[in-house]
């Protein structure tokens, strides 16, 4: 799936990724009653700091319906693609708790994606603000695959030595990078 001609041509034609590097594959099953595992408002860049221009290919394995939730997104047209302020999560249950949004968002600009046919997928950048929606169905779960790609020619990806960041209960590269930048001071950054 990740190396299919259709995904490759979509990355090239829609996202301008000419030399795709698959940096992460994530498979999720989200069900009613398991809301603690959902992601609140976030940007994938916080978790995988390889490049703000990296792309998520979000693929529902079955048709997506309103009962299966979906995603809320705020377009980069409204945010300018900026990286939002964050804070370290207080309690780490899952990596969704590691880095949390620490500012108000333009919620009046959100778009809800909760209807996709089998074979449809979403493409969005790592700097796109988004969140998971709750599943209301008690008989079906939301099965999705997220493929994350960077471009081997992307300057930021090259500067990050072609590797994504790590998030574990004891290590959060994005938070540590911010502390290093604060420690250096603005004259040295």
């Amino acid at each position: 799936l990740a190396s299919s001609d259709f995904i490759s041509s979509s990355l090239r034609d829609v996202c301008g990724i000419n030399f795709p590097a698959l940096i992460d594959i994530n498979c999720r099953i989200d069900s009613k009653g398991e809301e603690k595992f959902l992601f609140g408002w976030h940007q994938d860049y916080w978790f995988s700091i390889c490049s703000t221009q990296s792309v998520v290919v979000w693929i529902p394995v079955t048709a997506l319906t309103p009962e299966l939730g979906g995603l809320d997104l705020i377009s980069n047209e409204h945010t300018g693609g900026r990286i939002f302020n964050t804070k370290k999560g207080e309690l780490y249950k899952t990596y969704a708790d590691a880095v949390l949004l620490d500012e108000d968002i333009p919620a009046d600009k959100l778009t809800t994606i909760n209807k996709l046919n089998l074979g449809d997928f979403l493409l969005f950048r790592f700097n796109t603000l988004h969140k998971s929606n709750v599943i209301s169905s008690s008989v079906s779960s939301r099965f999705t695959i997220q493929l994350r790609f960077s471009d081997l020619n992307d300057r930021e990806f090259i500067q990050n030595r072609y590797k994504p960041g790590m998030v574990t209960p004891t290590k959060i590269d994005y938070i540590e990078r911010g502390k290093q930048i604060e420690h250096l001071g603005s004259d040295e950054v």
Side-chain angles (χ1 to χ4, degrees):
L1 180 63
S3 62
S4 73
D5 289 340
F6 188 64
I7 295 288
S8 296
S9 64
S10 296
L11 288 168
R12 182 187 62 244
D13 299 342
V14 176
C15 304
I17 293 181
N18 293 309
F19 299 100
L22 180 63
I23 58 167
D24 183 49
I25 300 173
N26 190 7
C27 300
R28 289 188 58 97
I29 302 172
D30 294 304
S31 302
K32 183 177 181 175
E34 296 182 352
E35 290 78 15
K36 68 181 179 182
F37 299 112
L38 296 178
F39 277 78
W41 285 108
H42 70 283
Q43 294 169 300
D44 280 24
Y45 184 74
W46 304 344
F47 302 95
S48 192
I49 53 178
C50 49
S51 173
T52 58
Q53 296 306 298
S54 296
V55 170
V56 178
V57 182
W58 193 86
I59 307 166
V61 177
T62 60
L64 184 64
T65 64
E67 296 78 27
L68 296 179
L71 294 177
D72 284 343
L73 297 104
I74 299 178
S75 170
N76 285 347
E77 291 177 4
H78 302 298
T79 67
R82 74 180 182 84
I83 300 300
F84 280 73
N85 294 324
T86 61
K87 62 183 176 184
K88 184 177 178 185
E90 296 293 321
L91 178 63
Y92 187 104
K93 291 180 272 179
T94 72
Y95 78 99
D97 306 313
V99 183
L100 304 175
L101 181 68
D102 193 26
E103 69 175 283
D104 294 331
I105 57 164
D108 61 324
K109 304 292 185 189
L110 74 85
T111 299
T112 298
I113 308 293
N114 62 10
K115 292 181 184 178
L116 292 173
N117 295 319
L118 187 59
D120 291 345
F121 58 88
L122 300 175
L123 297 167
F124 55 91
R125 301 254 182 226
F126 273 26
N127 58 359
T128 301
L129 195 60
H130 63 286
K131 72 175 187 77
S132 305
N133 287 329
V134 173
I135 291 83
S136 63
S137 173
S138 57
V139 295
S140 297
S141 297
R142 179 177 63 227
F143 290 75
T144 58
I145 298 170
Q146 294 87 44
L147 306 173
R148 292 178 177 86
F149 290 91
S150 284
D151 192 319
L152 289 169
N153 277 341
D154 180 294
R155 185 176 175 188
E156 187 178 1
F157 190 40
I158 293 167
Q159 288 174 340
N160 285 314
R161 298 184 179 135
Y162 301 106
K163 62 182 182 179
M166 291 189 57
V167 177
T168 70
T170 58
K171 181 176 179 59
I172 305 166
D173 284 345
Y174 180 75
I175 298 289
E176 289 179 16
R177 178 183 279 185
K179 288 180 181 174
Q180 290 168 356
I181 291 170
E182 287 174 14
H183 177 70
L184 290 174
S186 59
D187 294 344
E188 300 175 55
V189 177

